[in-house]
Amino acid sequence: QTGSRSIPIPRDVVGGPKEASGREREREQFQLAAKTLHDRMEQKSELRRLARNLRFTETAEGMRIDVVDDADLSMFAIGSSQLTPAGARLFAELVQPLTELPNRLLIRGHTDSAPWSAKSGTNNWRLSVERAEVTRQYFEFRGIKTERFSRIEGVADREPYVPSDQLDPRNRRISITLGWRDRD
């Protein structure tokens, strides 16, 4: 069949289909959601460029989606928590898969290490928290229930995506983690 791939069914010791554990089922759901999202974005010419800014990683906390800035895209206006049109478009694509999965959500804001002027009245800690909160508000306004958000945090420039270059734009990102349900 064109466009389909068979998935082997694990068998237990007596040869019947093996029941997948809760974690394995979640992993499969996460992988399917990530593939569906990526495929949907690749099919739309206006979104194809943005698809490269999404990264999917399994962690101890759950499945993490990193929405990463680069030289051609900023989710937020530089030095602010104002969502850009491109950032809003990326977040809009995430709403459906995040709504369909019941997992709790953890949102973490990250910044680069660009220095701040004392006159600006802010810093990377505040900025990372504000961006995480704007992201939460965006998702909540579009139908993700308040109860699903288990943690909103900002980590400033303390967890760089590119440790060798603290000013690299990819260090500016929002991490959205769908938490494992067996950890609730």
Side-chain angles (χ1 to χ4, degrees):
Q1 292 173 320
T2 305
S4 65
R5 215 170 34 184
S6 66
I7 299 172
I9 300 172
R11 302 208 170 262
D12 65 14
V13 290
V14 294
K18 181 179 177 183
E19 187 66 32
S21 73
R23 178 73 56 103
E24 289 168 343
R25 280 193 302 275
E26 280 187 281
R27 184 175 291 117
E28 290 169 3
Q29 289 172 332
F30 288 155
Q31 290 170 348
L32 179 60
K35 181 179 179 347
T36 301
L37 175 63
H38 184 267
D39 291 349
R40 190 173 72 230
M41 291 182 72
E42 285 291 326
Q43 292 171 2
K44 297 177 184 176
S45 60
E46 73 275 12
L47 295 176
R48 195 171 298 126
R49 181 182 66 84
L50 299 176
R52 70 174 189 244
N53 295 84
L54 296 177
R55 312 275 168 35
F56 301 88
T57 308
E58 184 177 315
T59 70
E61 291 180 303
M63 178 62 82
R64 186 180 71 223
I65 304 167
D66 285 308
V67 186
V68 181
D69 277 6
D70 63 26
D72 298 323
L73 173 109
S74 290
M75 285 175 288
F76 298 92
I78 299 298
S80 83
S81 59
Q82 180 181 346
L83 201 56
T84 65
R89 190 71 179 105
L90 263 171
F91 288 163
E93 291 300 314
L94 291 171
V95 170
Q96 182 182 350
L98 292 177
T99 302
E100 290 173 355
L101 296 168
N103 307 69
R104 62 192 168 86
L105 297 170
L106 300 80
I107 299 177
R108 179 177 290 145
H110 302 264
T111 66
D112 58 21
S113 292
W116 285 86
S117 160
K119 294 178 187 175
S120 71
T122 194
N123 58 50
N124 282 326
W125 287 103
R126 177 177 288 165
L127 184 60
S128 63
V129 170
E130 289 172 355
R131 289 177 174 180
E133 174 57 13
V134 165
T135 303
R136 184 201 64 77
Q137 290 173 0
Y138 183 94
F139 290 138
E140 185 176 5
F141 183 73
R142 283 152 186 83
I144 296 178
K145 296 185 183 323
T146 303
E147 311 78 63
R148 298 254 327 269
F149 298 99
S150 66
R151 192 172 354 141
I152 307 301
E153 61 190 9
V155 295
D157 58 354
R158 302 308 163 124
E159 297 175 6
Y161 193 80
V162 183
S164 62
D165 182 359
Q166 297 288 314
L167 297 176
D168 190 298
R170 292 172 292 179
N171 292 325
R172 298 187 307 260
R173 65 194 189 283
I174 293 291
S175 298
I176 303 155
T177 302
L178 291 139
W180 297 117
R181 294 181 76 195
D182 62 5
R183 296 190 71 189
D184 291 341

